[in-house]
Amino acid sequence: MQPLAITAGEPAGIGPDLVIQLAQQTLPWPLVIIADPDLLTTRAAQLELPLSVQEYSHGQINSHIPGTLNVLPVTLAQPCTCGQPDPGNAGYVLDSIRRAVSGCQDGEFAAMVTGPIHKAVINEAGMAFTGHTEFLAALTHTPQVVMMLATPGLRVALVTTHLPLKQISQAITPALLENVIRILQRDLQTRFNLPRPRILICGLNPHAGEDGHMGKEEIEIISPVLNALREQGFDLHGPLPADTAFTPPKLEQADAVLAMYHDQGLPVLKYRGFGQAVNITLGLPIIRTSVDHGTALDLAGSGHANTGSLQMAIDTAVQMAKQAQSESDIFVK
């Protein structure tokens, strides 16, 4: 089995804590942690947890033993203090992500799982950065990606991601909406083994525009795109008012919900499954999952970080990797 690559994220946050805590368990899939080995051993001592670091070499990985980690070394530029991010380590964070991406592209890793990062600190270092999703798209030369978060019983994908509210309406064009739905449909089929996914589409405005009395985006942009795709066999329902789409009777029959913007869909998902949710980037040529939370600087080094979301991200990456291998085996045969 090709290992999963895990980036520990912001060194002053809980990312290092999570991988150290996870290392104490029996794991079903080989993992390679991309991080500074000294950071991990120092943090493990602070957490009073046993940790043996084994340096990873391409093609050589040991089966997981509780209390050990296979580590691909990337060196911190500055000393790290829990809870105090240093812009001097922004390059370290980005280099860790770059190494995971290149390993996935080369077939060295089956998938990558990313720990939480601190976007503001990266920008303070003079590096324009809007988020993992956009950075991964640039690294893989992918023109369009889709952010989807999932927790048991609910998947929520987004048409727009990290935009101010005043920019969202102009950003939602027919071309963007169609591309997002096509990517969502394709990856639900190929990554999640859903041959004909049923997707609920939220409107942009309250009450989905109230027949044009509360906004015309549903009439002029969203509905024409949905109608055209339905004629091609897509099982799409909407545009629905968001407060209707996220009711149990609707969700029970849906494989995913497509929200128009970040805070339309993600508060519902995080309320339902915070700590047990996973962030998935669709549309990439590689498999990438992530935790659903931030760096939790106040918890770093305390021993109180919850590994639930990281475990969910790993489990999801494993499932997606197995599905990809199954698809590959069918193709070869």
Side-chain angles (χ1 to χ4, degrees):
M1 296 186 295
Q2 298 302 102
L4 302 184
I6 300 185
T7 59
E10 166 56 48
I14 61 170
D17 303 44
L18 295 175
V19 296
I20 293 165
Q21 291 173 227
L22 194 71
Q24 310 306 312
Q25 308 172 20
T26 299
L27 301 172
W29 196 280
L31 306 178
V32 173
I33 312 303
I34 303 178
D36 188 311
D38 291 338
L39 167 68
L40 297 177
T41 54
T42 300
R43 189 69 58 86
Q46 189 169 352
L47 295 170
E48 299 183 346
L49 292 173
L51 184 69
S52 174
V53 170
Q54 301 175 344
E55 185 168 335
Y56 163 76
S57 178
H58 189 174
Q60 297 180 353
I61 187 167
N62 302 311
S63 298
H64 179 72
I65 301 172
T68 67
L69 283 176
N70 294 289
V71 178
L72 193 165
V74 178
T75 304
L76 284 169
Q78 300 294 331
C80 176
T81 301
C82 287
Q84 299 179 26
D86 188 332
N89 285 322
Y92 158 85
V93 172
L94 298 184
D95 285 346
S96 300
I97 299 169
R98 291 188 184 100
R99 181 62 181 85
V101 169
S102 65
C104 289
Q105 290 175 316
D106 296 342
E108 179 182 2
F109 303 129
M112 64 182 288
V113 178
T114 55
I117 57 177
H118 199 293
K119 289 182 281 190
V121 172
I122 296 173
N123 283 287
E124 286 174 18
M127 304 173 184
F129 187 85
T130 56
H132 262 122
T133 302
E134 296 82 0
F135 188 57
L136 292 169
L139 287 177
T140 59
H141 306 289
T142 305
Q144 179 71 55
V145 295
V146 175
M147 178 188 290
M148 183 175 80
L149 270 75
T151 195
L154 179 61
R155 299 182 185 96
V156 177
L158 305 177
V159 177
T160 62
T161 53
H162 302 116
L163 285 178
L165 282 176
K166 65 181 180 180
Q167 296 179 15
I168 290 171
S169 178
Q170 290 185 337
I172 299 174
T173 63
L176 173 65
L177 181 59
E178 179 178 345
N179 287 339
V180 167
I181 294 173
R182 288 189 182 279
I183 291 169
L184 177 59
Q185 166 101 348
R186 184 194 66 208
D187 278 20
L188 289 173
Q189 291 172 329
T190 60
R191 304 284 200 193
F192 295 90
N193 196 27
L194 296 167
R196 192 167 187 268
R198 185 178 192 268
I199 303 172
L200 306 185
I201 312 292
C202 294
L204 174 64
N205 299 294
H207 300 180
E210 197 77 70
D211 295 326
H213 296 289
M214 205 177 297
K216 297 185 181 298
E217 287 86 355
E218 288 77 11
I219 294 173
E220 296 176 352
I221 297 172
I222 300 174
S223 289
V225 171
L226 302 191
N227 290 335
L229 291 174
R230 287 189 190 106
E231 292 179 359
Q232 298 175 36
F234 286 62
D235 190 1
L236 307 175
H237 298 258
L240 299 169
D243 58 356
T244 299
F246 286 106
T247 56
K250 294 289 187 183
L251 294 179
E252 286 170 4
Q253 303 299 319
D255 295 302
V257 178
L258 181 62
M260 292 294 126
Y261 57 95
H262 189 282
D263 281 13
Q264 183 183 54
L266 298 194
V268 180
L269 184 133
K270 291 194 175 186
Y271 177 77
R272 178 163 179 166
F274 187 74
Q276 296 294 325
V278 56
N279 184 351
I280 307 161
T281 306
L282 306 180
L284 293 172
I286 62 175
I287 296 169
R288 179 262 176 163
T289 66
S290 183
V291 295
D292 71 338
H293 56 73
T295 54
L297 297 172
D298 58 322
L299 294 180
S302 70
H304 298 307
N306 188 329
T307 62
S309 183
L310 178 59
Q311 185 66 65
M312 182 76 173
I314 290 172
D315 291 344
T316 302
V318 168
Q319 294 168 11
M320 294 173 71
K322 288 180 176 178
Q323 178 64 26
Q325 182 61 54
S326 175
E327 294 278 342
S328 177
D329 290 344
I330 292 172
F331 180 77
V332 170
K333 292 176 181 178

